[in-house]
Amino acid sequence: MHGSGASWAALVLVLLASAAQAEVGVLASGRRVHVDQPAKDSKGVWMGALDGRRQRLAAADVVVLVADDGAETLLAPTLSEVELTPPEVAALAELADPKVESGPAQGEVLALEPKRAAHKILLELAADKRKELRSRAVAALLRLRTLESCSAAAKLVLDEKDLKVRRAMAAALFSARALLQRCDLGEAFDTGLADPDALVRVEFALCAPLENAKAIGVLVKDGLRHADHHVRESAALDLGRRGDKSGIDVLLAILARSKPRDLDTDPETELRLHIAEQVEVCEVLGKLGGDAAKAALEKAKSNSPHEAVRKAAEAALR
């Protein structure tokens, strides 16, 4: 009994140490979430509590854990050499059939255990003469959430000749930007940041590593000046993450927004995204500092109807 108690004590210490070292989870899209007690289970799978529910972090799309000291733990899987299962074969067949409507379902099936065989088939599909199938292939490669598949997807965007398709593919990169920022894609990023199309340049800038100086120039010139407010706001947030204040007026406007944007989805989802966006803005403004940022945070701390935003503002002010 005494030995059992010691083992449990050791386990608790390990769990507490893991939680202390990494409580910020980065989603594939780059959004940050709070993860309580992240730790590997007996099978080596990373688990953690998000919004009070303990779950597999990979299933929640958490691809990186960031410790208090900034140290990162990459959770992205590597491609498995295991053979494809019947459901995976069926999903790949649906992706390759233009008569079958493509959706998130096929990508989710393939992402459960990313496999090299699926990666290879998707690369072949990306060379199809039909542009719709090429787009499907890039989206599915990104959904595998491996560094290898995401790198391949980025290079396929650059190879695409059809401007409309290249724009759509580039926009899909954002879904895996946290992984792309950690890929070894130096020359590819340089090419993307110099693309003839402004929107493609912005998408590559949003996915470029934080230390990429060229990305800041693109985000300021092409992102903040873009006609689409979604692009402007994404650019402002990313610039703030990079320590650049060029988009601070846009950030202040986001934090002052009293109701969710119309995202053509259900009200509950819109509200959840609205709160998450304002929480992220608070974090960024706290890092940027300055009188305008401080005044906006003080106002959010006192007046926001959302507890998460009030707490984020208070933390940013500290």
Side-chain angles (χ1 to χ4, degrees), residues 214-253:
K214 294 179 182 178
I216 292 179
V218 170
L219 291 169
V220 172
K221 181 181 178 181
D222 299 315
L224 294 179
R225 299 177 185 177
H226 201 276
D228 189 325
H229 69 92
H230 295 288
V231 176
R232 294 195 301 271
E233 292 176 2
S234 293
L237 266 170
D238 198 63
L239 283 166
R241 285 286 186 200
R242 296 169 189 270
D244 189 286
K245 294 186 176 183
S246 300
I248 194 167
D249 288 344
V250 178
L251 297 180
L252 296 175

Coordinates of all heavy atoms in Angstrom, one line a residue, residues 214-253:
K214 N 9.7 39.6 -44.3 CA 8.9 39.9 -45.5 C 7.4 39.8 -45.3 O 6.7 40.6 -45.9 CB 9.4 39.0 -46.7 CG 10.8 39.2 -47.1 CD 11.2 38.2 -48.2 CE 12.6 38.3 -48.6 NZ 13.0 37.4 -49.7
A215 N 7.0 38.9 -44.4 CA 5.6 38.7 -44.2 C 5.0 40.0 -43.6 O 3.8 40.4 -44.0 CB 5.4 37.6 -43.2
I216 N 5.7 40.7 -42.7 CA 5.2 41.9 -42.1 C 4.9 43.0 -43.2 O 3.8 43.6 -43.2 CB 6.1 42.5 -41.1 CG1 6.2 41.5 -39.9 CG2 5.7 43.9 -40.6 CD1 7.1 42.0 -38.8
G217 N 5.8 43.1 -44.2 CA 5.6 44.1 -45.3 C 4.4 43.8 -46.1 O 3.6 44.7 -46.4
V218 N 4.1 42.5 -46.4 CA 3.0 42.1 -47.2 C 1.7 42.3 -46.4 O 0.7 42.8 -46.9 CB 3.1 40.6 -47.5 CG1 1.8 40.1 -48.1 CG2 4.2 40.4 -48.5
L219 N 1.7 42.0 -45.1 CA 0.5 42.2 -44.3 C 0.1 43.7 -44.1 O -1.0 44.0 -44.1 CB 0.7 41.6 -42.9 CG 0.8 40.1 -42.9 CD1 1.3 39.6 -41.5 CD2 -0.6 39.5 -43.2
V220 N 1.1 44.5 -44.1 CA 0.9 46.0 -44.0 C 0.4 46.5 -45.3 O -0.6 47.2 -45.4 CB 2.1 46.7 -43.5 CG1 1.9 48.2 -43.6 CG2 2.5 46.3 -42.1
K221 N 1.1 46.2 -46.4 CA 0.8 46.8 -47.7 C -0.5 46.2 -48.3 O -1.3 46.9 -48.8 CB 2.0 46.6 -48.6 CG 1.7 47.1 -50.0 CD 2.9 46.9 -50.9 CE 2.7 47.4 -52.3 NZ 3.9 47.1 -53.2
D222 N -0.6 44.8 -48.3 CA -1.7 44.2 -48.9 C -2.8 43.7 -48.0 O -4.0 43.7 -48.4 CB -1.2 42.9 -49.7 CG -0.1 43.3 -50.7 OD1 -0.4 44.2 -51.5 OD2 0.9 42.6 -50.8
G223 N -2.5 43.4 -46.8 CA -3.5 42.9 -45.8 C -4.3 44.0 -45.2 O -5.6 44.0 -45.3
L224 N -3.7 45.0 -44.7 CA -4.5 46.1 -44.0 C -5.2 47.0 -45.0 O -6.2 47.7 -44.6 CB -3.5 47.0 -43.2 CG -2.9 46.3 -42.0 CD1 -2.0 47.3 -41.2 CD2 -4.0 45.8 -41.0
R225 N -4.8 46.9 -46.3 CA -5.5 47.7 -47.3 C -6.5 47.0 -48.1 O -7.1 47.5 -49.1 CB -4.4 48.3 -48.2 CG -3.4 49.3 -47.5 CD -2.4 49.7 -48.5 NE -1.3 50.5 -47.8 CZ -0.2 51.0 -48.4 NH1 -0.1 50.8 -49.7 NH2 0.7 51.7 -47.8
H226 N -6.7 45.7 -47.8 CA -7.6 44.8 -48.6 C -9.0 45.3 -48.4 O -9.4 45.8 -47.4 CB -7.4 43.4 -48.2 CG -7.9 42.4 -49.2 ND1 -9.2 42.1 -49.3 CD2 -7.2 41.7 -50.2 CE1 -9.3 41.2 -50.3 NE2 -8.1 41.0 -50.8
A227 N -9.8 45.1 -49.5 CA -11.2 45.5 -49.5 C -12.1 44.7 -48.5 O -13.0 45.2 -48.0 CB -11.8 45.4 -50.9
D228 N -11.7 43.4 -48.3 CA -12.4 42.5 -47.4 C -12.0 42.8 -46.0 O -10.9 42.6 -45.6 CB -12.2 41.1 -47.8 CG -13.1 40.1 -47.1 OD1 -13.4 40.3 -45.9 OD2 -13.4 39.1 -47.7
H229 N -13.0 43.1 -45.1 CA -12.7 43.4 -43.7 C -12.2 42.1 -43.0 O -11.4 42.2 -42.0 CB -13.9 44.0 -43.0 CG -15.0 43.0 -42.7 ND1 -15.2 42.3 -41.6 CD2 -16.1 42.7 -43.5 CE1 -16.2 41.6 -41.7 NE2 -16.8 41.8 -42.8
H230 N -12.6 41.0 -43.4 CA -12.1 39.7 -42.8 C -10.5 39.6 -43.0 O -9.8 39.3 -42.1 CB -12.7 38.5 -43.4 CG -14.2 38.4 -43.2 ND1 -14.7 38.1 -41.9 CD2 -15.3 38.6 -44.0 CE1 -16.0 38.0 -42.0 NE2 -16.4 38.3 -43.2
V231 N -10.1 40.0 -44.2 CA -8.7 40.0 -44.5 C -7.9 41.0 -43.7 O -6.9 40.8 -43.1 CB -8.4 40.2 -46.0 CG1 -6.9 40.3 -46.3 CG2 -9.1 39.1 -46.8
R232 N -8.5 42.2 -43.6 CA -7.9 43.3 -42.8 C -7.8 42.9 -41.3 O -6.7 43.1 -40.7 CB -8.7 44.6 -42.9 CG -8.8 45.2 -44.3 CD -9.3 46.6 -44.3 NE -10.6 46.8 -43.7 CZ -11.7 46.7 -44.4 NH1 -11.7 46.4 -45.7 NH2 -12.9 46.8 -43.8
E233 N -8.8 42.3 -40.8 CA -8.7 41.9 -39.4 C -7.8 40.8 -39.1 O -7.0 40.8 -38.1 CB -10.1 41.5 -38.9 CG -11.1 42.8 -38.9 CD -12.5 42.4 -38.5 OE1 -12.8 41.2 -38.2 OE2 -13.4 43.3 -38.5
S234 N -7.7 39.8 -40.0 CA -6.7 38.7 -39.9 C -5.3 39.3 -40.0 O -4.4 38.9 -39.2 CB -6.9 37.7 -41.0 OG -8.2 37.0 -40.8
A235 N -5.1 40.2 -40.9 CA -3.8 40.9 -41.0 C -3.4 41.6 -39.8 O -2.3 41.5 -39.3 CB -3.8 41.8 -42.2
A236 N -4.4 42.4 -39.2 CA -4.1 43.2 -38.0 C -3.7 42.3 -36.8 O -2.8 42.5 -36.1 CB -5.3 44.0 -37.7
L237 N -4.5 41.2 -36.6 CA -4.2 40.3 -35.6 C -2.8 39.6 -35.7 O -2.0 39.5 -34.8 CB -5.3 39.2 -35.5 CG -6.4 39.4 -34.6 CD1 -7.5 38.4 -34.8 CD2 -6.0 39.4 -33.1
D238 N -2.5 39.2 -36.9 CA -1.2 38.5 -37.2 C -0.1 39.5 -37.0 O 1.0 39.2 -36.4 CB -1.2 37.9 -38.6 CG -0.1 36.9 -38.7 OD1 -0.2 35.9 -38.0 OD2 0.8 37.1 -39.5
L239 N -0.2 40.8 -37.4 CA 0.8 41.8 -37.2 C 1.0 42.0 -35.7 O 2.2 42.1 -35.3 CB 0.4 43.1 -37.9 CG 0.6 43.1 -39.4 CD1 -0.2 44.3 -40.0 CD2 2.0 43.2 -39.8
G240 N -0.1 42.0 -35.0 CA 0.1 42.2 -33.5 C 0.8 41.0 -32.9 O 1.7 41.2 -32.0
R241 N 0.5 39.8 -33.3 CA 1.3 38.6 -32.8 C 2.8 38.8 -33.1 O 3.6 38.3 -32.4 CB 0.7 37.4 -33.5 CG -0.6 36.9 -32.9 CD -0.4 36.3 -31.5 NE -1.7 35.7 -31.0 CZ -1.9 35.5 -29.8 NH1 -1.0 35.8 -28.9 NH2 -3.1 35.0 -29.4
R242 N 3.1 39.4 -34.2 CA 4.5 39.6 -34.6 C 5.1 40.8 -34.0 O 6.3 41.2 -34.3 CB 4.6 39.7 -36.2 CG 4.1 38.4 -36.9 CD 3.9 38.6 -38.4 NE 3.3 37.5 -39.0 CZ 4.0 36.4 -39.5 NH1 5.3 36.4 -39.5 NH2 3.4 35.4 -40.0
G243 N 4.4 41.5 -33.1 CA 4.9 42.7 -32.5 C 4.8 44.0 -33.3 O 5.4 45.0 -32.9
D244 N 4.0 44.0 -34.3 CA 3.9 45.2 -35.2 C 2.6 45.9 -34.9 O 1.5 45.3 -34.9 CB 4.0 44.8 -36.6 CG 4.0 46.0 -37.6 OD1 3.0 46.7 -37.8 OD2 5.1 46.3 -38.1
K245 N 2.6 47.2 -34.7 CA 1.4 48.0 -34.3 C 0.6 48.6 -35.4 O -0.3 49.3 -35.2 CB 1.8 49.1 -33.3 CG 2.3 48.6 -32.0 CD 2.6 49.8 -31.0 CE 3.0 49.4 -29.7 NZ 3.2 50.5 -28.7
S246 N 1.0 48.3 -36.7 CA 0.4 48.9 -37.8 C -1.1 48.7 -37.9 O -1.8 49.6 -38.4 CB 1.0 48.4 -39.1 OG 2.4 48.6 -39.2
G247 N -1.6 47.6 -37.4 CA -3.0 47.3 -37.4 C -3.8 47.6 -36.1 O -4.9 47.1 -35.9
I248 N -3.2 48.4 -35.2 CA -3.8 48.5 -33.9 C -5.2 49.2 -34.0 O -6.1 48.8 -33.2 CB -2.9 49.4 -33.0 CG1 -3.4 49.2 -31.5 CG2 -2.8 50.8 -33.4 CD1 -2.4 49.7 -30.5
D249 N -5.5 50.1 -34.9 CA -6.8 50.7 -35.0 C -7.8 49.6 -35.4 O -9.0 49.7 -34.9 CB -6.8 51.8 -36.1 CG -6.1 53.0 -35.7 OD1 -5.8 53.2 -34.4 OD2 -5.7 53.8 -36.5
V250 N -7.5 48.6 -36.2 CA -8.4 47.5 -36.5 C -8.6 46.7 -35.3 O -9.8 46.3 -35.0 CB -7.8 46.7 -37.7 CG1 -8.7 45.5 -38.0 CG2 -7.6 47.5 -38.9
L251 N -7.6 46.4 -34.5 CA -7.7 45.6 -33.3 C -8.7 46.3 -32.3 O -9.5 45.7 -31.6 CB -6.4 45.4 -32.7 CG -5.4 44.6 -33.5 CD1 -4.1 44.4 -32.7 CD2 -5.9 43.2 -33.9
L252 N -8.5 47.6 -32.1 CA -9.4 48.4 -31.2 C -10.8 48.3 -31.7 O -11.7 48.2 -30.8 CB -8.9 49.9 -31.2 CG -7.5 50.1 -30.6 CD1 -7.1 51.6 -30.7 CD2 -7.4 49.6 -29.2
A253 N -11.1 48.3 -33.0 CA -12.4 48.2 -33.5 C -13.0 46.8 -33.2 O -14.2 46.7 -32.9 CB -12.4 48.5 -35.0

